[in-house]
Structure formats: C-alpha cells, structure tokens
Amino acid sequence: MRMKPLKIGDIEARIPIIQGGMGVGISRYRLAGTVAREGGIGIISTAQIGYDEEDFPKNQIEANLKAIHKHIRMAKEIAEGGIVGVNIMVATKQYERYVKEAAKAGADVIISGAGLPITLPELVEGYSSKIAPIVSSVKATSVLLKMWDRKYHRTADFIVIEGPLAGGHLG
C-alpha cells in the first residue's frame, strides 16, 4: 500500500510522517535531517538544544539560540531538500526569541505547544515557515484559530492534535 504525500501549502513530504521533537539532545540535526532526507518531516526540538555548546554553562539562552541556527543548517544539509522543522514549547523561557531564530534560520515548519502559541503568527511574519499549534481539544483549537484570524488574519498551516495517549508533556 502506497501512502499519499503530505501537502502543507507549497511544501510536500513524500512520506506523511512527522518525526516528533524530543528535547535535550534526542531530536537534533542528525535525526531530523535523516528523516527529512528519507521523505518525512524531520523535527528538531529546541528544548536545551545548546546543552553541549561551549558557552552553555554561562549563557544558556545565547547558546540555545546559536544551536537552533546551527542545527537547522546542518539538518538541511543532510536533508537534501527534505522538510526540516522545529518544535518549540510555549513554556520555554525566551519562546519568542527561539521562534524568531528558527524562522530566520529557515525552518520549514514550526510546531508549538506546551501552552497556546497565541503570538506565533506575528513571530514568523515575513518568513516562509509553516506554523502548527499543538492542541488537545476542539475548544482550544477553536479559540486559538479565531484569535489568530481576528488579530493576524492568518490560520494554522496544519494542526498537531495530542490526545491523552500521546505521551510527552500532557497534563
């Protein structure tokens, strides 16, 4: 059985699989780049992504920002034109800076949860990054999309739905 490609606006994943963004060194450039090269969508987690950068002990935020840019670039080199994105938790300190850095670095998609990503459309304005909130209910989805439409005249490019069996950061 052949799976249909996953189309998100003007990008297309040959295999309709989005690799999960797992933090603190699991989903970084090698995994995301390889998944993207094989036809899926590779996702880099920004959660303490710069933990192995030289300046991390003294300045975690700056080390993480530098690492976001570095890992997107390196994943795209491996991906050979495949789709590379990031997962950025709203609950992260400096969320807005991380989103802007990921968009500037050329993330094809930005997936955002662990809170409602209310300002996500504004943060990627002027960039081609596709945006997707992670939601767990119809009500949260409806409220967020209505807010985005009213305030930014924009909607989600796709939506990630997490149910109670999804694992990860579910409260």
Side-chain angles (χ1 to χ4, degrees), residues 46 49-50 53 59-71 94-102 105:
T46 64
I49 188 172
E53 294 290 328
N59 194 341
Q60 290 183 9
I61 301 299
E62 293 304 318
N64 286 333
L65 288 165
K66 180 172 51 176
I68 288 168
H69 195 87
K70 177 175 95 174
H71 282 271
Q94 302 296 322
Y95 169 75
E96 292 184 355
R97 290 180 71 193
Y98 286 12
V99 170
K100 288 178 180 180
E101 187 62 32

Short mmCIF file of all heavy atoms in Angstrom, two decimals, residues 46 49-50 53 59-71 94-102 105:
data_model
loop_
_atom_site.label_atom_id
_atom_site.label_comp_id
_atom_site.label_asym_id
_atom_site.label_seq_id
_atom_site.Cartn_x
_atom_site.Cartn_y
_atom_site.Cartn_z
N THR A 46 13.90 22.33 20.32
CA THR A 46 14.75 23.42 20.82
C THR A 46 14.96 23.36 22.32
O THR A 46 15.70 24.18 22.87
CB THR A 46 14.17 24.80 20.45
OG1 THR A 46 12.91 24.96 21.10
CG2 THR A 46 14.02 24.95 18.94
N ILE A 49 18.62 22.79 23.44
CA ILE A 49 19.33 22.31 22.27
C ILE A 49 20.83 22.60 22.32
O ILE A 49 21.64 21.87 21.78
CB ILE A 49 18.70 22.90 20.97
CG1 ILE A 49 19.31 22.25 19.73
CG2 ILE A 49 18.81 24.41 20.95
CD1 ILE A 49 18.61 22.63 18.44
N GLY A 50 21.22 23.65 23.01
CA GLY A 50 22.62 24.04 23.06
C GLY A 50 23.38 23.50 24.25
O GLY A 50 24.44 24.02 24.60
N GLU A 53 27.06 23.20 23.80
CA GLU A 53 27.82 24.35 23.31
C GLU A 53 28.76 24.83 24.41
O GLU A 53 28.43 24.76 25.60
CB GLU A 53 26.88 25.50 22.91
CG GLU A 53 25.97 25.20 21.73
CD GLU A 53 26.71 25.13 20.42
OE1 GLU A 53 27.73 25.84 20.24
OE2 GLU A 53 26.27 24.34 19.55
N ASN A 59 25.80 31.03 29.62
CA ASN A 59 24.73 31.77 28.97
C ASN A 59 23.86 30.80 28.15
O ASN A 59 24.02 30.69 26.94
CB ASN A 59 25.31 32.87 28.07
CG ASN A 59 24.24 33.86 27.64
OD1 ASN A 59 23.04 33.55 27.69
ND2 ASN A 59 24.67 35.02 27.21
N GLN A 60 22.94 30.15 28.83
CA GLN A 60 22.12 29.12 28.20
C GLN A 60 21.30 29.66 27.03
O GLN A 60 21.21 29.01 25.99
CB GLN A 60 21.20 28.47 29.23
CG GLN A 60 21.93 27.61 30.21
CD GLN A 60 20.99 26.91 31.18
OE1 GLN A 60 19.77 26.94 31.03
NE2 GLN A 60 21.56 26.28 32.18
N ILE A 61 20.69 30.81 27.21
CA ILE A 61 19.83 31.35 26.16
C ILE A 61 20.61 31.59 24.88
O ILE A 61 20.20 31.16 23.79
CB ILE A 61 19.14 32.66 26.62
CG1 ILE A 61 18.28 32.42 27.87
CG2 ILE A 61 18.31 33.27 25.48
CD1 ILE A 61 17.15 31.43 27.73
N GLU A 62 21.73 32.27 24.97
CA GLU A 62 22.52 32.56 23.77
C GLU A 62 23.06 31.27 23.14
O GLU A 62 23.10 31.14 21.92
CB GLU A 62 23.66 33.53 24.08
CG GLU A 62 23.18 34.93 24.45
CD GLU A 62 22.29 35.58 23.39
OE1 GLU A 62 22.59 35.47 22.18
OE2 GLU A 62 21.29 36.21 23.77
N ALA A 63 23.48 30.31 23.97
CA ALA A 63 23.96 29.03 23.45
C ALA A 63 22.83 28.31 22.71
O ALA A 63 23.06 27.73 21.64
CB ALA A 63 24.50 28.17 24.58
N ASN A 64 21.63 28.34 23.27
CA ASN A 64 20.49 27.70 22.61
C ASN A 64 20.13 28.39 21.30
O ASN A 64 19.85 27.73 20.30
CB ASN A 64 19.27 27.67 23.54
CG ASN A 64 19.40 26.65 24.65
OD1 ASN A 64 20.09 25.64 24.51
ND2 ASN A 64 18.75 26.91 25.77
N LEU A 65 20.16 29.72 21.28
CA LEU A 65 19.87 30.45 20.04
C LEU A 65 20.88 30.11 18.95
O LEU A 65 20.50 29.88 17.79
CB LEU A 65 19.85 31.96 20.31
CG LEU A 65 18.65 32.47 21.10
CD1 LEU A 65 18.91 33.88 21.62
CD2 LEU A 65 17.38 32.41 20.26
N LYS A 66 22.14 30.07 19.31
CA LYS A 66 23.19 29.71 18.36
C LYS A 66 22.98 28.28 17.86
O LYS A 66 23.11 28.00 16.67
CB LYS A 66 24.56 29.86 19.02
CG LYS A 66 25.73 29.52 18.13
CD LYS A 66 27.08 29.87 18.74
CE LYS A 66 27.23 29.31 20.13
NZ LYS A 66 28.55 29.54 20.73
N ALA A 67 22.63 27.38 18.76
CA ALA A 67 22.43 25.98 18.41
C ALA A 67 21.21 25.78 17.52
O ALA A 67 21.22 24.91 16.64
CB ALA A 67 22.33 25.12 19.67
N ILE A 68 20.15 26.55 17.73
CA ILE A 68 18.97 26.45 16.86
C ILE A 68 19.38 26.70 15.41
O ILE A 68 19.07 25.91 14.51
CB ILE A 68 17.87 27.46 17.28
CG1 ILE A 68 17.22 27.01 18.60
CG2 ILE A 68 16.81 27.62 16.19
CD1 ILE A 68 16.33 28.06 19.26
N HIS A 69 20.10 27.79 15.20
CA HIS A 69 20.55 28.13 13.85
C HIS A 69 21.46 27.04 13.29
O HIS A 69 21.29 26.59 12.16
CB HIS A 69 21.26 29.49 13.88
CG HIS A 69 21.44 30.08 12.54
ND1 HIS A 69 20.48 30.85 11.94
CD2 HIS A 69 22.46 29.99 11.66
CE1 HIS A 69 20.91 31.22 10.75
NE2 HIS A 69 22.10 30.70 10.56
N LYS A 70 22.41 26.59 14.09
CA LYS A 70 23.39 25.59 13.66
C LYS A 70 22.70 24.26 13.30
O LYS A 70 22.98 23.67 12.25
CB LYS A 70 24.42 25.36 14.76
CG LYS A 70 25.45 24.28 14.45
CD LYS A 70 26.50 24.19 15.54
CE LYS A 70 26.13 23.12 16.53
NZ LYS A 70 27.18 22.89 17.54
N HIS A 71 21.79 23.80 14.14
CA HIS A 71 21.15 22.51 13.91
C HIS A 71 20.20 22.54 12.72
O HIS A 71 20.10 21.53 11.99
CB HIS A 71 20.48 22.00 15.17
CG HIS A 71 21.46 21.42 16.14
ND1 HIS A 71 21.84 20.11 16.13
CD2 HIS A 71 22.18 22.01 17.13
CE1 HIS A 71 22.74 19.90 17.07
NE2 HIS A 71 22.96 21.05 17.70
N GLN A 94 12.21 32.59 26.88
CA GLN A 94 12.64 33.21 25.62
C GLN A 94 11.97 32.58 24.41
O GLN A 94 12.54 32.54 23.31
CB GLN A 94 14.16 33.17 25.48
CG GLN A 94 14.92 33.85 26.59
CD GLN A 94 14.64 35.34 26.67
OE1 GLN A 94 14.51 36.01 25.64
NE2 GLN A 94 14.55 35.87 27.87
N TYR A 95 10.74 32.09 24.55
CA TYR A 95 9.98 31.47 23.46
C TYR A 95 10.01 32.31 22.19
O TYR A 95 10.31 31.81 21.11
CB TYR A 95 8.53 31.24 23.92
CG TYR A 95 7.58 30.85 22.81
CD1 TYR A 95 7.61 29.58 22.26
CD2 TYR A 95 6.66 31.78 22.31
CE1 TYR A 95 6.74 29.23 21.24
CE2 TYR A 95 5.78 31.43 21.30
CZ TYR A 95 5.82 30.15 20.77
OH TYR A 95 4.97 29.81 19.76
N GLU A 96 9.72 33.60 22.33
CA GLU A 96 9.64 34.46 21.15
C GLU A 96 10.97 34.54 20.43
O GLU A 96 11.02 34.49 19.19
CB GLU A 96 9.14 35.85 21.54
CG GLU A 96 7.69 35.81 21.99
CD GLU A 96 7.11 37.19 22.29
OE1 GLU A 96 7.85 38.20 22.24
OE2 GLU A 96 5.90 37.24 22.57
N ARG A 97 12.06 34.63 21.16
CA ARG A 97 13.39 34.68 20.54
C ARG A 97 13.70 33.38 19.82
O ARG A 97 14.30 33.38 18.74
CB ARG A 97 14.46 34.99 21.57
CG ARG A 97 14.39 36.43 22.08
CD ARG A 97 15.46 36.73 23.09
NE ARG A 97 16.78 36.80 22.46
CZ ARG A 97 17.93 36.81 23.14
NH1 ARG A 97 17.92 36.74 24.46
NH2 ARG A 97 19.07 36.88 22.50
N TYR A 98 13.31 32.25 20.40
CA TYR A 98 13.57 30.95 19.78
C TYR A 98 12.79 30.82 18.46
O TYR A 98 13.32 30.35 17.46
CB TYR A 98 13.19 29.81 20.72
CG TYR A 98 14.14 29.57 21.88
CD1 TYR A 98 15.14 30.49 22.21
CD2 TYR A 98 14.04 28.44 22.65
CE1 TYR A 98 16.00 30.27 23.27
CE2 TYR A 98 14.89 28.21 23.72
CZ TYR A 98 15.87 29.11 24.02
OH TYR A 98 16.72 28.89 25.07
N VAL A 99 11.52 31.23 18.47
CA VAL A 99 10.71 31.16 17.25
C VAL A 99 11.31 32.04 16.17
O VAL A 99 11.47 31.61 15.02
CB VAL A 99 9.24 31.55 17.52
CG1 VAL A 99 8.47 31.69 16.22
CG2 VAL A 99 8.56 30.53 18.43
N LYS A 100 11.65 33.27 16.52
CA LYS A 100 12.23 34.18 15.52
C LYS A 100 13.54 33.64 14.97
O LYS A 100 13.81 33.74 13.76
CB LYS A 100 12.45 35.57 16.13
CG LYS A 100 11.14 36.33 16.35
CD LYS A 100 11.40 37.68 17.00
CE LYS A 100 10.10 38.43 17.22
NZ LYS A 100 10.31 39.74 17.83
N GLU A 101 14.38 33.06 15.82
CA GLU A 101 15.65 32.50 15.36
C GLU A 101 15.42 31.31 14.43
O GLU A 101 16.10 31.17 13.41
CB GLU A 101 16.52 32.06 16.54
CG GLU A 101 17.91 31.62 16.14
CD GLU A 101 18.74 32.73 15.49
OE1 GLU A 101 18.55 33.91 15.84
OE2 GLU A 101 19.58 32.42 14.63
N ALA A 102 14.45 30.46 14.75
CA ALA A 102 14.14 29.30 13.90
C ALA A 102 13.63 29.75 12.53
O ALA A 102 14.03 29.21 11.50
CB ALA A 102 13.13 28.40 14.59
N ALA A 105 16.47 31.17 10.58
CA ALA A 105 17.39 30.11 10.16
C ALA A 105 16.82 29.26 9.02
O ALA A 105 17.52 28.42 8.48
CB ALA A 105 17.75 29.23 11.34
#
